[in-house]
Amino acid sequence: MVEALSRLVAIAAASVLAGMVPGAAAPSASVQASAPVEHKTCQSVSRTEGDQLSAKQLAKLAKDTGFTGDGLVNAVAVALAESSGFTKALLVNENCTRDRGLWQINDYWHPEVSEQQAFDPVENAKAAYEISSEGTAWDQWSTWENGAYKSFLADAEQAVNNPG
């Protein structure tokens, strides 16, 4: 009973931090990275599985989801940096949380995104659109915070501007 209650409190706290509660701000990537997950430690594992989408395919998917302008370019660059376009990409973090799918949606910070949704390209894009405030706030993505997405901006811009 105590364990179940502790887990419920952790989920509620994560919901507040993840911005699921109206008016609550989502934490930055640096805060997320330091949050313990029930004091577990896992070996970091990265898998690139599923279909690999090109920058043009990611651009179409992101545009169809609602991303526009700079948000669209950034969405493509972040997806390329996070998953290399692999639809079933998975990263098990050292704190045992899991980043899933094209935009690497974290299971701890976003428990509202099911496994099925996380590994479905359209649903993952929808989750990224919501989490990023329609493409305007990318600070929950480590590749945004560390600048890794910048290496993919030229490819993203070309894919967005030359979709054919």
Side-chain angles (χ1 to χ4, degrees), residues 7-140:
R7 181 70 178 145
L8 183 59
V9 169
I11 291 170
S15 297
V16 170
L17 291 172
M20 291 173 51
V21 175
S28 69
S30 60
V31 171
Q32 290 181 17
S34 64
V37 178
E38 298 179 18
H39 306 289
K40 293 181 182 176
T41 303
C42 290
Q43 182 176 351
S44 184
V45 176
S46 180
R47 288 189 220 136
T48 50
E49 298 177 349
D51 295 329
Q52 186 176 24
L53 302 187
S54 67
K56 286 184 180 186
Q57 289 171 311
L58 286 167
K60 180 179 182 340
L61 174 61
K63 184 176 183 181
D64 290 349
T65 302
F67 288 101
T68 60
D70 288 343
L72 175 57
V73 172
N74 290 333
V76 175
V78 168
L80 288 169
E82 290 282 341
S83 68
S84 299
F86 283 96
T87 58
K88 296 188 187 304
L90 175 68
L91 172 65
V92 178
N93 298 295
E94 288 181 7
N95 65 359
C96 303
T97 64
R98 299 165 66 245
D99 300 335
R100 307 159 299 160
L102 290 167
W103 277 273
Q104 293 290 275
I105 308 299
N106 185 275
D107 65 344
Y108 182 80
W109 295 107
H110 297 286
E112 75 279 11
V113 180
S114 71
E115 289 293 296
Q116 183 177 353
Q117 291 170 312
F119 293 117
D120 177 277
V122 172
E123 295 301 318
N124 191 279
K126 288 178 183 177
Y129 184 72
E130 289 180 26
I131 295 165
S132 70
S133 299
E134 300 177 0
T136 63
W138 293 99
D139 59 326
Q140 290 192 55

